Every structure is written in C-alpha cells, then in structure tokens.
Amino acid sequence: MINVKKNNIETGLSDAREELAGVKKFPDPEFVGIIKGLGFRCELCARCCTKEFNDHVFLLDADLAVIRQINPDSVTPAPYPEFCDQKGRFYVSGYALKTKPDGSCIFLENKRCKIYDRRPSICRVYPYMLHREADGSGNVDWRQISGLNEHGSYYSELENSECEAIARETRAYEEAYLRQMIGFFEAVKAHFQKNGLKHVQSVYDRRIREFLKGKCELEVFVYYNGEFEKCNLKPGT
C-alpha cells in the first residue's frame, strides 16, 4: 500500500500514481498463475475479521455508500490519519468499519458475517492483493496474498475461470483503492494551498498523545466522494 514518506503530499501522490501504473501493467497470466498455484480455500475461521489478524477494514467510497444504508453508525474515520495541519486538524483518506471491544468486526456474530452478501470490497477479495510491499528484510516486491500459511487451506484444485475471476476482482479493488488515494492527495494539496495550511508532524504527535490520554477530541476531515466530511472523534472511540 501507499507509504506517505515523511508525510509529504507530493511524495504520496507520486507513489500512488506509480503504484497504479504498476498494477495496471502486472501481467494477467502471472497473477492468475500465482492464484492457481496457491490454491487457497477459505475454512471459515473468521480470523481475518478480528484484531488478531487485521488492523481495520478500509472502505472504498462505493463500500461506504452501501454500509451507510445498512447502519450509518457502523463506520468511523480510518485510523492513522495521513496529515495534520498547524491548527491541529487531521486529514484521512477514508472510513473504516467500527470494531467491538474485543477487536472483532462490528458485523461479526458467531464467527459469521451478518452482511456477507453486502460485505465491503476488501472482504470480498481478501486474502488476495496486488501491490508492492517490503518484506522482513526491507526488499520491496509484489505481494499477492496476505497471511500466507496462517489461515485457510492451500494447494486446492481451482478452475481456471475461478482464478481469472479472483484476479479481475482483486485488480479492480487495488485500482479503485489507488484512485481513491490519488484523489485524497490531490484534495489535501488543493485544500492546503487554498487555505495556507501545511502538515506539521510535531502538532500531529502532540494531538495524538493528548487524544490517547483522554485530554481532547480530534477534529478529523475524512475524504469521501471527492470532498472532506468533518468528524469529531471523542477519546475512547
């Protein structure tokens, strides 16, 4: 995924554009071959729906529209805002699903998804992915599956048509995610230029510390559908 180096808008924008170009160029036969070779099958363990396995469920704009129809109170600004201006206001690239106190997804019940037929895009393609990521040694290369050998079963026989469908859906998700990130960086850049703002890391760090200690609320501008929606986060949420 996109790494915002030193919280630099231009760097983030450039990286997102480069990543999108790379995803589009990644050969279909190679991706399909990787999927077929792995032969992954879900075993309904529901680990991917818990804090044990995943940090949060990021929502694309299309996902958010669906989730708000189901339960508008089930979403929250995605964690780890990318930027904070000198006035202490945060900017984040989208929303995420809320979690229960135990860290599991708000829609998980008895190890089953309550909205399975309308689940978010990332839940549909997981554990497949198509992006460049650093390994434990810091070497950056393409990664096509998450949690290898940590869940599910492998080396099952998959039909070519199934592998091709997985590849198409995964690629579509990754491209949509990157387009949303590009839009976010462009929107932050325009907003900062128009209003004389800039990212200040020291303000970011101080406000987060105060928030975690319960001393303040956070004013967060969440990117959605080409604009920013203002949210106020209270400590403990």
Side-chain angles (χ1 to χ4, degrees):
M1 296 299 185
I2 298 305
N3 176 28
V4 185
K5 303 172 184 176
K6 298 182 180 179
N7 300 93
N8 184 285
I9 296 174
E10 290 293 349
T11 300
L13 182 56
S14 176
D15 286 352
R17 288 171 173 164
E18 181 181 349
E19 183 81 357
L20 179 57
V23 168
K24 289 181 176 181
K25 290 180 181 178
F26 196 89
D28 278 332
E30 182 176 344
F31 193 18
V32 170
I34 290 168
I35 293 169
K36 190 172 183 64
L38 286 171
F40 173 84
R41 288 290 188 192
C42 175
E43 294 183 330
L44 304 178
C45 68
R47 290 180 66 195
C48 60
C49 307
T50 68
K51 199 74 169 180
E52 172 192 9
F53 211 80
N54 279 310
D55 188 77
H56 66 282
V57 175
F58 184 81
L59 301 173
L60 299 179
D61 286 351
D63 298 321
L64 181 63
V66 173
I67 296 299
R68 278 180 165 168
Q69 290 179 348
I70 298 171
N71 180 0
D73 295 325
S74 64
V75 301
T76 187
Y80 322 120
E82 285 86 352
F83 303 105
C84 176
D85 65 31
Q86 63 265 45
K87 298 181 180 179
R89 298 173 299 198
F90 288 82
Y91 302 81
V92 68
S93 51
Y95 287 90
L97 291 181
K98 288 182 178 178
T99 56
K100 299 175 183 177
D102 65 0
S104 62
C105 177
I106 192 172
F107 291 115
L108 186 67
E109 188 173 285
N110 298 321
K111 290 190 175 182
R112 294 295 180 269
C113 178
K114 293 164 58 178
I115 61 165
Y116 187 78
D117 291 340
R118 292 178 287 174
R119 66 195 186 282
S121 302
I122 186 61
C123 304
R124 293 179 180 276
V125 303
Y126 191 86
Y128 297 103
M129 56 182 61
L130 185 61
H131 63 252
R132 283 179 290 239
E133 188 172 292
D135 61 18
S137 302
N139 299 314
V140 178
D141 202 350
W142 288 100
R143 184 174 175 185
Q144 294 87 11
I145 191 166
S146 177
L148 187 63
N149 296 322
E150 295 180 1
H151 62 102
S153 60
Y154 294 85
Y155 311 116
S156 305
E157 286 293 330
L158 302 181
E159 296 292 333
N160 288 341
S161 59
E162 182 178 0
C163 297
E164 291 166 358
I166 291 170
R168 284 195 302 271
E169 191 169 17
T170 303
R171 187 188 296 275
Y173 169 79
E174 297 288 2
E175 290 184 10
Y177 166 78
L178 289 165
R179 286 194 294 269
Q180 185 163 323
M181 290 300 299
I182 290 170
F184 166 69
F185 288 125
E186 291 175 338
V188 171
K189 179 180 178 181
H191 178 73
F192 277 21
Q193 289 178 341
K194 179 180 178 180
N195 296 284
L197 302 172
K198 61 180 179 179
H199 170 75
V200 182
Q201 188 64 43
S202 60
V203 177
Y204 186 113
D205 295 340
R206 174 172 54 81
R207 293 291 288 170
I208 290 294
R209 286 196 300 268
E210 292 173 348
F211 178 73
L212 293 176
K213 292 178 180 179
K215 295 182 178 181
C216 70
E217 293 185 1
L218 292 185
E219 187 175 355
V220 183
F221 289 86
V222 188
Y223 183 72
Y224 171 59
N225 201 24
E227 299 179 350
F228 288 108
E229 297 183 344
K230 179 181 174 181
C231 297
N232 290 318
L233 284 184
K234 296 182 179 181
T237 56

